[in-house]
Amino acid sequence: MEVDDDRSPRASSINANDIDFDTVNQSRTERQTLRENSTELLVEEIRERSRQTQWQLNYQEAAIYLEEGENNDKFDTHPRDQSALPAYEVAHNRWFHLLDLIAAILVLLVAICERPAIEYFSLPVGIHASLEMLGLLILSLELGIRFKWVGWRAFFKHKRTVIKSCTILFMLIESIVVLVRQTSHFRVTRALRPLFLIHTYYCRGVRRITRQILQSLPPILDMIILLLFFMLIFSIFGYYLFSRNKDDMYFSTLEKSFVNLFILLTTANFPDVMMPSYNQSKFYSIFFIVYLSLELYFLMNLLLAVVYDTFSNLEKTKFQKLLIHKRIGCQHAFKLLVSDQNQHQLHMKHFMGMMKKYHPSKSRRDCYLVFKCLNTSNTGWLSLEEFYGIYDVAGVSWKLKNEDRIWSSSFKHPFNVIFKAFNTLVRFKWFDYVIYLVIGANFLWILIETIRLSAKSVNLANYDFTASWASIVFVCIYSVEVIIKILGKGPMEYFTLGWDVFDFLVTVLSVIGVLGERFENSFYYVIVLRPFRLLRLFKVKKRYRDVLGTLFVLFSKLTSLAIVTILVYYFFAIIGMEMFLNVDLKNCCKNTSVEDFYAYDNNSIFHGYYYLNNFENILASGVTLFELTVVNNWFIIMEGYAVRVSQWTRVYFMLFYIVMMVVMNIIVAFVLESFLFRIQYRRQMKLDDMDDDSVYRVEVSLSEEEVDMCEKPFSILSGHLIQLQAQADQPEPYVYKGERSRTKDDFSIKMYGDEVKTWLLEMEKERTSIIESMKGLRTRQRPNSLNLEQNGVSEQLEVNC
Amino acid sequence: MEVDDDRSPRASSINANDIDFDTVNQSRTERQTLRENSTELLVEEIRERSRQTQWQLNYQEAAIYLEEGENNDKFDTHPRDQSALPAYEVAHNRWFHLLDLIAAILVLLVAICERPAIEYFSLPVGIHASLEMLGLLILSLELGIRFKWVGWRAFFKHKRTVIKSCTILFMLIESIVVLVRQTSHFRVTRALRPLFLIHTYYCRGVRRITRQILQSLPPILDMIILLLFFMLIFSIFGYYLFSRNKDDMYFSTLEKSFVNLFILLTTANFPDVMMPSYNQSKFYSIFFIVYLSLELYFLMNLLLAVVYDTFSNLEKTKFQKLLIHKRIGCQHAFKLLVSDQNQHQLHMKHFMGMMKKYHPSKSRRDCYLVFKCLNTSNTGWLSLEEFYGIYDVAGVSWKLKNEDRIWSSSFKHPFNVIFKAFNTLVRFKWFDYVIYLVIGANFLWILIETIRLSAKSVNLANYDFTASWASIVFVCIYSVEVIIKILGKGPMEYFTLGWDVFDFLVTVLSVIGVLGERFENSFYYVIVLRPFRLLRLFKVKKRYRDVLGTLFVLFSKLTSLAIVTILVYYFFAIIGMEMFLNVDLKNCCKNTSVEDFYAYDNNSIFHGYYYLNNFENILASGVTLFELTVVNNWFIIMEGYAVRVSQWTRVYFMLFYIVMMVVMNIIVAFVLESFLFRIQYRRQMKLDDMDDDSVYRVEVSLSEEEVDMCEKPFSILSGHLIQLQAQADQPEPYVYKGERSRTKDDFSIKMYGDEVKTWLLEMEKERTSIIESMKGLRTRQRPNSLNLEQNGVSEQLEVNC
């Protein structure tokens, strides 16, 4: 039985402004007199219209709540009234996000063409300052819209936004100064530009990792203090022990002693730092062995352990918070979608209305399938518990199960047979083995060819690099394989599988390489890309699949990490450029131990070339900073600037080392965590291969009537058929299959299954207890403040979680 | 009710040889005629005596089973008959273990005094060869005894023993050759000497870690292959890319390209290896950045992840195996202690008999307490389930609970009050704070003094190092603190607490330091030990307690790891010495890039001193190998030998790098595992501090009668009082407290609580099912083969676990 359930929507926080719904309800006495005037119909129409408007608003707000839950946006930035809605929609538009991202990147890239610019990219001051200004203005536009939508309170409560506003203001003033003076001044504030990129929508992952790094700083700092404490004690020790030796310049003062032990922590000056005292007595080596064992092999490993523990704990907490945040989003949305008459069940009609706002591109059939999939109780109404599942199912892409044949079966006669043959061939086990054999042969061939070339000491400049017949044969085989696979599997399936895409790219590159060899001789080095193709061989063994699988699965997160690293580099590069711009390192450091590295006289055979490690433009700075990251011989670069500029420049280099140490530890912890999660998940679920489990699958079957109902464009969908079928218990003819790839959250839910249950139980308990305690209060308050109250409840819940 | 339960012991696998128990039983018909001859009494006496002998044997065997369970010895090396018992006892004697250890160390230490000997330690060939022979003979004695006790079958089945025998045999022959020729020949086999140390009883931990390293090798090897594969591809790539540049000597041939990329993996030649090509085009840096990111930052971290995963998994599996092994040991022992009449319950008398063999030093009262503690059902008889707890309780040390007052309360009048005052003072919170304040002041004082000294550039050789008044004051304060603490807490409590022992040692060192300063001026550098005292400051914060606590708790395991590392060093040092003995590195490598490091001409101000990194004796080799372990600039040492000896010596150095990489990864994994276990345990048990939970405590109360019974030396103990008391349900006056420190196994049992239960359930299930299936067989076999059969059962269980 279907009940008309759109009488009275529950009050949304976004009130319909055009027609005051409350007053319409309240003025009942007035209306009684109106009725006698027989204008009753008009009033009814007005009421009906206002009701519909209110429902539409509710749908939209529910969709917004669901989005906020998904994106982990705070609910206190939720648009408070209808006038804020357009700003909200603009701010959450894809194109606007893109514009924001482009502006942020533009501001970052200005560093390439402003002084010190990269060769060929240098632009006049007027142009690059204007470009920067343009970028900054677009970014402030974003801020303005945000201000409009969240209101000034939430705006100033949100720390990140405030910092961004201040930075933009400051930078705008600076770029005006630059424009007016027509020359760049000492602008270290440019180092803050990465903030804008972090703030953009598409850099959510970057933001998350930045937050995790900041949150794991306190324990890391503790450990670094311990490290520095030991370093200080050892440097006092070392000073007393070695300063009597006049040959030993490493410990002649306490300051030198400390600096050299700091460098020793990175091992970069070992064993040199030991040699003078080792020459005096062999037993002095004990000092260094103890120092390194304690600091490098014990404390640094503990630092890693601390970082790993903090990091994996944060991951779990974050997962828990997100899960509960999503649930609260669902609760908010659910509250807006049920009517006052039936507060515990959600009608199909309202669900469809909401889905139209939430996933506008979904067809009616898909939405119906989502509803039916959620409605496990088969009542035709969704309960809150069932509605919680929406995040799992909403993103699924549906298709008919008997469509589950190869892509080519709908082709015309001769082709479908041929393509089917290809398909069979591709799925044939020996097909793969033959390909592996070919790859192996190819590798051996390349290796032997190179060894022969190297043994003959042919100068490669004169060597004819035209592709040999063998390389052409191999590339042909690969191309044929790729074509067969694409035709057999169909492009859709082929280009969604990581390994196949990899194969495709490598093959295309090989073809380009061979063609390049044919047409231009200098294009020779592309041929060396071919051996990478051999990575496919590693698919054979499970451990390698794990390793490379980790690489594929976590590519997006690794990218975020890489972006974070690059932004840190950017920060330090700007500071480095401002400080060391016109320092020439050639032949610096005369009469020090690093003299040779900076030698520049064309006489010596062995150039150190270290004067190349400078800060002359943003890219060169990047490479220099990478060298500092790798740590080996980093002190030589530091020495150069310490001698040329000031002893205090060491602070810059040491600070960079400590920051990179933290970032590197986070990277290690991250790789560790991801890999261990993957392996432990596989072990716990007793899976042979992660790939088997990487797709989330659901199945829903529809009856004839349901399909009819979905296909009629204007019919009102309802849930009564679901209930009827459940009673009839007949098999339904149309089986739909829904699939989407699993995210890490899906895995986490399975992995921490028991814990998840406890968290949710606790959350429910807390929620009901708060609602219970509210009930007492509520009776004394006016009834339509209910919604606000319950907002309060869930905010409190958020704080507690 | 007490039943006389020593009628018929169950057949032991060690049969009483003096009197055949079976024949006595069997010859019943003969005895019937004897009885008529009224010699019945004599027969009874003989039977009684044989029964007692059998029981004594059973006690001993049960104790042996329990020991085997505890030490994780295999049950198939269990002594098979009585004649093997003396050999078994000799082999498990503490003094014999010690002799074995000394012999193994002796053989190792011979390396100090045989050619190439350390200065002052050099001995004539005759003497050191004889010493070695002596050591080897003692070691073969151990083997001989082992052979006697386990029999030749088990002897040759045990791989480690066989390898040891072969090595000893070979070495004996070699040392005879040395004695005869009176000169050492090329003896690389000396590198195998560490095997003997690993084999000794006291190096169980070392053995365990070695086994874990060997077991985690396969996955590590997989990863190393992947690393090398990428390295090969990149070296082909690098060769094609850079060999055209004539300045670039790093990539001129494929071989050089590979070697340099191998070194680059250790970062030791970065950025030098990049500079020539970087000078040509800045974009060549991409090659190196990609290579390092992939190999160093991704794959090496994955390698760590793989090692960590394997290692922590092995730890868990090992724990599981040990747990089940212990249980099986208990089952064997239990079977021998119950009588045929009552196979499911163990009488107090037999328990006491077994305890006398198992823990001979325990008093009767302690054994009784252990029994009562185990007997949770209060029946006065132990069931198998209760008997399983013996490993937990057997090692506990007992004392009366009301003895739990300060140590000095039994002193004479004036003293007990004074000491009590000390005790109160020590337990006073502010006492500690004051001490911390003093320590902080001391540190600041040392720091300022050193900075002043360093700033004045005083040559320390001329500086008067007599202790200043301040240092004397500080040392006095510390000494007074230590004395107050010892007197207040009592030496017993003081010297069992890690932190107090640390304080004590540091204070004693400080006192020695100050005295040294007073009496001899050259003893000055002891004063630098004082700041270590400051470590105590870190007790204040929880994280530091975790860090330093990890250091204390895992000291024994870290020692094992250090020993493993030293043994690996020994192995490579011997090989290195044999290969590079008379190679002089001074001024080697002319016209290569490492020329300066080996320069030796007294003209240059900057000595590289790298010629000191040689293999001239075992200690120098150790330092050289440590430098190779630290990895920085290791290739310079490799280059030196590659130029002087042969290009192929690179294999030695690269192999050492790979081995140390594995060992280092194991160390990291180990530190990680221990620390994370500690932190996670604390988190799971919701503890504030691990120390609160580090002691295993039990309480047992005895009645007046029980204490009486225990104190009478010849009374036979029985369990009927336990049962009586359980029925009476009266409070018992004497409460005994048992304590022992928790081992990692105890923590693991709590940590993996649920899993442990499943393992044990599975084990029980398997056991009963095997016994069930055996029952059918048993009926067809003769009854006294029961014991052997059940041995079979448990061996099968072992295999399954």
Side-chain angles (χ1 to χ4, degrees), chain B residues 6-7 9 16-25 27 31 34 39-55:
Chain B
D6 52 346
R7 281 277 169 73
N17 286 349
D18 350 43
I19 299 160
D20 195 346
F21 190 73
D22 280 341
T23 48
V24 174
N25 267 327
S27 54
R31 269 180 286 125
L34 280 175
T39 47
E40 198 187 331
L41 272 170
L42 185 69
V43 174
E44 266 307 307
E45 210 186 301
I46 292 171
R47 282 178 65 196
E48 179 59 30
R49 222 185 328 142
S50 91
R51 210 184 284 136
Q52 287 306 327
T53 324
Q54 184 62 44
W55 270 119

Side-chain angles (χ1 to χ4, degrees), chain A residues 219 222-223 225-226 229-230 232-234 236-237 239-241 243-244 246-247 249 253-254 267-272 274-276 278-279 282 285 289 292 297-299 301-302 304-306 308-309 313 443 446-447 449-451 453-454 459-461 465 524-525 528 531-532 534-535 538 541 543-544 547 551 558 591-593 596-597 606 608-610 612-613 616 620 623 626-627 629-630 632-633 664 667-668 671-672 675-676 679 683, chain B residues 219 222-223 225-226 229-230 232-234 236-237 239-241 243-244 246-247 249 253-254 267-272 274-276 278-279 282 285 289 292 297-299 301-302 304-306 308-309 313 443 446-447 449-451 453-454 459-461 465 524-525 527-528 531-532 534-535 538 541 543-544 547 551 558 591-593 596-597 606 608-610 612-613 616 620 623 626-627 629-630 632-633 664 667-668 671-672 675-676 679 683:
Chain A
D222 285 346
M223 287 301 299
I225 288 171
L226 195 64
F229 173 75
F230 276 108
L232 192 59
I233 291 184
F234 270 92
I236 294 175
F237 200 168
Y239 171 69
Y240 281 116
L241 223 52
S243 64
R244 294 213 291 183
K246 273 178 207 127
D247 283 345
M249 353 158 244
T253 67
L254 185 64
T267 76
N269 59 357
F270 194 77
D272 309 72
M274 182 178 88
M275 289 334 259
Y278 189 54
N279 190 35
K282 303 267 170 193
S285 57
I289 292 175
L292 280 174
Y297 295 124
F298 185 69
L299 288 182
N301 287 341
L302 270 190
L304 176 64
V306 169
Y308 174 71
D309 178 64
N313 231 22
F443 178 61
I446 290 176
L447 193 64
E449 197 192 38
T450 316
I451 290 173
L453 212 64
S454 160
N459 188 335
L460 287 180
F465 265 102
Y524 70 95
Y525 46 79
V528 290
F532 277 99
L534 280 167
L535 276 182
F538 289 100
K541 195 158 180 177
R543 185 171 332 278
Y544 296 129
V547 169
L551 188 60
L558 280 176
N591 299 322
T592 67
S593 54
D596 289 344
F597 295 100
F606 305 107
Y609 294 116
Y610 269 68
L612 291 172
N613 299 321
E616 66 178 25
V623 175
F626 182 75
E627 286 165 24
T629 308
V630 175
N632 192 66
N633 282 353
M664 281 296 143
I667 290 181
V668 178
V671 172
L672 228 68
F675 187 73
L676 291 179
I679 283 196
R683 197 173 292 142
Chain B
D222 284 346
M223 287 301 299
I225 289 171
L226 195 64
F229 173 76
F230 276 108
L232 193 59
I233 292 184
F234 270 92
I236 294 175
F237 200 167
Y239 170 70
Y240 282 116
L241 224 52
S243 63
R244 293 214 292 183
K246 274 177 206 128
D247 282 347
M249 352 158 247
T253 67
L254 185 63
T267 76
N269 59 358
F270 193 78
D272 308 73
M274 181 178 86
M275 290 334 262
Y278 189 53
N279 190 34
K282 303 266 169 195
S285 58
I289 292 175
L292 280 175
Y297 295 125
F298 184 68
L299 287 183
N301 287 342
L302 271 190
L304 176 64
V306 169
Y308 173 70
D309 179 65
N313 232 22
F443 179 62
I446 289 175
L447 192 65
E449 197 191 38
T450 316
I451 289 174
L453 212 64
S454 160
N459 189 335
L460 287 179
F465 265 103
Y524 71 95
Y525 46 78
I527 59 165
V528 289
F532 277 101
L534 280 166
L535 275 182
F538 289 99
K541 195 158 180 178
R543 185 172 331 278
Y544 295 129
V547 168
L551 187 59
L558 279 176
N591 299 323
T592 67
S593 54
D596 289 343
F597 295 100
F606 306 108
Y609 294 117
Y610 269 68
L612 290 172
N613 300 321
E616 67 177 25
V623 175
F626 182 75
E627 286 166 24
T629 307
V630 176
N632 192 66
N633 282 354
M664 281 295 143
I667 290 181
V668 178
V671 173
L672 229 67
F675 187 73
L676 291 179
I679 283 195
R683 199 174 289 142

Side-chain angles (χ1 to χ4, degrees), chain A residues 31 77 79 110 115 192 255 272 428 477 515 586 762:
Chain A
R31 268 180 287 123
T77 61
V110 166
R115 186 191 60 105
L192 295 177
E255 184 205 339
D272 309 72
F428 192 48
I477 296 176
L515 290 181
K586 278 172 189 158
E762 269 170 33

Side-chain angles (χ1 to χ4, degrees), chain B residues 32 123 136 200 237 273 367 434 471 518 583 585 595 637:
Chain B
Q32 277 194 342
L123 289 178
L136 289 174
T200 58
F237 200 167
V273 69
C367 294
V434 170
S471 70
R518 280 277 127 199
V583 179
L585 293 175
E595 179 182 346
I637 301 172

